[in-house]
PDB file of all heavy atoms in Angstrom:
ATOM      1  N   TRP A 355     -17.952  55.579   4.643  1.00 97.00           N
ATOM      2  CA  TRP A 355     -18.856  54.650   5.325  1.00 97.00           C
ATOM      3  C   TRP A 355     -20.324  54.988   5.087  1.00 97.00           C
ATOM      4  O   TRP A 355     -21.134  54.101   4.862  1.00 97.00           O
ATOM      5  CB  TRP A 355     -18.538  54.621   6.809  1.00 97.00           C
ATOM      6  CG  TRP A 355     -19.554  53.870   7.635  1.00 97.00           C
ATOM      7  CD1 TRP A 355     -20.447  54.400   8.507  1.00 97.00           C
ATOM      8  CD2 TRP A 355     -19.784  52.463   7.635  1.00 97.00           C
ATOM      9  NE1 TRP A 355     -21.223  53.415   9.065  1.00 97.00           N
ATOM     10  CE2 TRP A 355     -20.834  52.205   8.535  1.00 97.00           C
ATOM     11  CE3 TRP A 355     -19.212  51.397   6.953  1.00 97.00           C
ATOM     12  CZ2 TRP A 355     -21.321  50.930   8.785  1.00 97.00           C
ATOM     13  CZ3 TRP A 355     -19.703  50.120   7.193  1.00 97.00           C
ATOM     14  CH2 TRP A 355     -20.745  49.892   8.101  1.00 97.00           C
ATOM     15  N   ASN A 356     -20.670  56.236   5.138  1.00 97.00           N
ATOM     16  CA  ASN A 356     -22.076  56.632   4.980  1.00 97.00           C
ATOM     17  C   ASN A 356     -22.611  56.243   3.604  1.00 97.00           C
ATOM     18  O   ASN A 356     -23.761  55.794   3.474  1.00 97.00           O
ATOM     19  CB  ASN A 356     -22.241  58.135   5.214  1.00 97.00           C
ATOM     20  CG  ASN A 356     -22.049  58.507   6.678  1.00 97.00           C
ATOM     21  OD1 ASN A 356     -22.301  57.692   7.572  1.00 97.00           O
ATOM     22  ND2 ASN A 356     -21.575  59.725   6.924  1.00 97.00           N
ATOM     23  N   ASP A 357     -21.797  56.426   2.562  1.00 98.00           N
ATOM     24  CA  ASP A 357     -22.225  56.034   1.215  1.00 98.00           C
ATOM     25  C   ASP A 357     -22.434  54.526   1.113  1.00 98.00           C
ATOM     26  O   ASP A 357     -23.410  54.049   0.506  1.00 98.00           O
ATOM     27  CB  ASP A 357     -21.190  56.475   0.183  1.00 98.00           C
ATOM     28  CG  ASP A 357     -21.103  57.992   0.054  1.00 98.00           C
ATOM     29  OD1 ASP A 357     -22.076  58.666   0.452  1.00 98.00           O
ATOM     30  OD2 ASP A 357     -20.068  58.488  -0.432  1.00 98.00           O
ATOM     31  N   VAL A 358     -21.495  53.784   1.693  1.00 98.00           N
ATOM     32  CA  VAL A 358     -21.593  52.317   1.663  1.00 98.00           C
ATOM     33  C   VAL A 358     -22.823  51.854   2.433  1.00 98.00           C
ATOM     34  O   VAL A 358     -23.578  50.975   1.978  1.00 98.00           O
ATOM     35  CB  VAL A 358     -20.311  51.688   2.252  1.00 98.00           C
ATOM     36  CG1 VAL A 358     -20.492  50.180   2.441  1.00 98.00           C
ATOM     37  CG2 VAL A 358     -19.117  51.974   1.361  1.00 98.00           C
ATOM     38  N   LYS A 359     -23.043  52.448   3.578  1.00 97.00           N
ATOM     39  CA  LYS A 359     -24.199  52.084   4.404  1.00 97.00           C
ATOM     40  C   LYS A 359     -25.506  52.365   3.673  1.00 97.00           C
ATOM     41  O   LYS A 359     -26.439  51.552   3.684  1.00 97.00           O
ATOM     42  CB  LYS A 359     -24.137  52.859   5.719  1.00 97.00           C
ATOM     43  CG  LYS A 359     -25.196  52.471   6.732  1.00 97.00           C
ATOM     44  CD  LYS A 359     -24.993  53.245   8.021  1.00 97.00           C
ATOM     45  CE  LYS A 359     -26.056  52.863   9.043  1.00 97.00           C
ATOM     46  NZ  LYS A 359     -25.883  53.617  10.315  1.00 97.00           N
ATOM     47  N   LYS A 360     -25.579  53.506   3.013  1.00 97.00           N
ATOM     48  CA  LYS A 360     -26.779  53.868   2.273  1.00 97.00           C
ATOM     49  C   LYS A 360     -27.024  52.918   1.107  1.00 97.00           C
ATOM     50  O   LYS A 360     -28.170  52.571   0.791  1.00 97.00           O
ATOM     51  CB  LYS A 360     -26.645  55.307   1.765  1.00 97.00           C
ATOM     52  CG  LYS A 360     -27.868  55.811   1.022  1.00 97.00           C
ATOM     53  CD  LYS A 360     -27.663  57.255   0.575  1.00 97.00           C
ATOM     54  CE  LYS A 360     -28.865  57.775  -0.194  1.00 97.00           C
ATOM     55  NZ  LYS A 360     -28.656  59.166  -0.654  1.00 97.00           N
ATOM     56  N   THR A 361     -25.943  52.478   0.464  1.00 98.00           N
ATOM     57  CA  THR A 361     -26.060  51.583  -0.694  1.00 98.00           C
ATOM     58  C   THR A 361     -26.565  50.195  -0.293  1.00 98.00           C
ATOM     59  O   THR A 361     -27.383  49.593  -0.999  1.00 98.00           O
ATOM     60  CB  THR A 361     -24.696  51.454  -1.394  1.00 98.00           C
ATOM     61  OG1 THR A 361     -24.261  52.751  -1.829  1.00 98.00           O
ATOM     62  CG2 THR A 361     -24.784  50.517  -2.593  1.00 98.00           C
ATOM     63  N   LEU A 362     -26.099  49.678   0.829  1.00 97.00           N
ATOM     64  CA  LEU A 362     -26.413  48.296   1.210  1.00 97.00           C
ATOM     65  C   LEU A 362     -27.660  48.165   2.075  1.00 97.00           C
ATOM     66  O   LEU A 362     -28.258  47.081   2.129  1.00 97.00           O
ATOM     67  CB  LEU A 362     -25.224  47.676   1.940  1.00 97.00           C
ATOM     68  CG  LEU A 362     -23.923  47.537   1.128  1.00 97.00           C
ATOM     69  CD1 LEU A 362     -22.861  46.825   1.939  1.00 97.00           C
ATOM     70  CD2 LEU A 362     -24.169  46.819  -0.189  1.00 97.00           C
ATOM     71  N   ASN A 363     -28.059  49.212   2.759  1.00 96.00           N
ATOM     72  CA  ASN A 363     -29.248  49.143   3.606  1.00 96.00           C
ATOM     73  C   ASN A 363     -30.478  48.775   2.784  1.00 96.00           C
ATOM     74  O   ASN A 363     -30.726  49.337   1.718  1.00 96.00           O
ATOM     75  CB  ASN A 363     -29.488  50.477   4.315  1.00 96.00           C
ATOM     76  CG  ASN A 363     -28.872  50.494   5.701  1.00 96.00           C
ATOM     77  OD1 ASN A 363     -28.671  49.465   6.335  1.00 96.00           O
ATOM     78  ND2 ASN A 363     -28.550  51.690   6.201  1.00 96.00           N
ATOM     79  N   LEU A 371     -23.198  44.904   7.023  1.00 94.00           N
ATOM     80  CA  LEU A 371     -22.844  46.142   7.735  1.00 94.00           C
ATOM     81  C   LEU A 371     -22.762  45.901   9.250  1.00 94.00           C
ATOM     82  O   LEU A 371     -22.007  46.585   9.947  1.00 94.00           O
ATOM     83  CB  LEU A 371     -23.879  47.226   7.458  1.00 94.00           C
ATOM     84  CG  LEU A 371     -24.037  47.652   5.999  1.00 94.00           C
ATOM     85  CD1 LEU A 371     -25.293  48.524   5.836  1.00 94.00           C
ATOM     86  CD2 LEU A 371     -22.789  48.408   5.532  1.00 94.00           C
TER      87      LEU A 371
END
Side-chain angles (χ1 to χ4, degrees):
W355 171 251
N356 290 332
D357 293 340
V358 171
K359 186 177 180 180
K360 182 179 179 181
T361 300
L362 297 184
N363 266 335
L371 299 168

